[in-house]
Amino acid sequence: MPTQPPKLIAINHDDYAAAFVGQTADGRQFFLTTPFEPAIRGKAGEEFVALYLFDKKGALVEAKIESFGSRDAMDEAARQAFHKKLLSEIGPVKYQRISVAPFSVDKFGTTFGLVLRTPEDEEDDWAVEAQPGNYMAFFEPWDSGDYDT
């Protein structure tokens, strides 16, 4: 029997994919990340920077996403500068665990967010994947804060 989809998932702050998660001075939660379209099947791929802002209860209130082109062609200094700019725009932050609702937004013809993955059959479980790139995957228990890469 498949599990139930989560209302909220926890993300623990760490030194890897969740290095930029936490809370702003006004109590909003944030996730600043670098999703990507992989370079496969003859496609060059695409690199992004995304800032997701959530209210205190974990609902998405804003998504700022910028494309930096393929990994081979992107201006890494420009990407780092944009990342730094987004972080400075949200003011002082405290890096810590967050609890947010799954969501998806479409931009650049791509789905971004913490996207629900529906079970394909009775043996499968619900999952939440950081998209594009599926670089973080969350499973029950939803409040563990842990993810697979």
Side-chain angles (χ1 to χ4, degrees):
M1 177 104 173
T3 59
Q4 296 297 310
K7 293 189 185 337
L8 295 173
I9 60 163
I11 306 173
N12 291 330
H13 171 258
D14 64 23
D15 293 329
Y16 188 58
F20 295 93
V21 301
Q23 190 173 50
T24 64
D26 64 4
R28 292 174 297 165
Q29 299 179 84
F30 73 94
F31 179 25
L32 179 58
T33 186
T34 53
F36 63 94
E37 287 282 359
I40 56 173
R41 295 183 200 101
K43 293 184 178 180
E46 195 166 358
E47 300 291 323
F48 305 94
V49 172
L51 173 63
Y52 305 122
L53 290 171
F54 307 87
D55 66 18
K56 293 175 184 179
K57 293 183 180 182
L60 181 72
V61 294
E62 186 175 7
K64 295 182 178 182
I65 305 165
E66 188 61 51
S67 171
F68 288 88
S70 69
R71 186 167 290 176
D72 291 341
M74 80 172 166
D75 180 340
E76 182 60 32
R79 185 172 108 157
Q80 289 178 6
F82 186 72
H83 191 279
K84 187 175 181 178
K85 176 183 176 282
L86 288 177
L87 194 57
S88 71
E89 285 177 356
I90 59 175
V93 298
K94 181 177 180 185
Y95 296 108
Q96 64 184 40
R97 173 188 176 102
I98 62 174
S99 292
V100 298
F103 69 95
S104 65
V105 295
D106 291 322
K107 188 163 184 179
F108 305 111
T110 300
T111 299
F112 290 84
L114 295 168
V115 181
L116 282 172
R117 184 185 73 204
T118 306
E120 293 181 12
D121 58 47
E122 290 185 19
E123 288 80 39
D124 288 343
D125 292 324
W126 286 91
V128 175
E129 299 169 342
Q131 294 289 354
N134 191 13
Y135 55 98
M136 300 169 84
F138 300 86
F139 302 92
E140 281 194 296
W142 304 115
D143 61 354
S144 75
D146 297 328
Y147 59 90
D148 292 336
T149 56

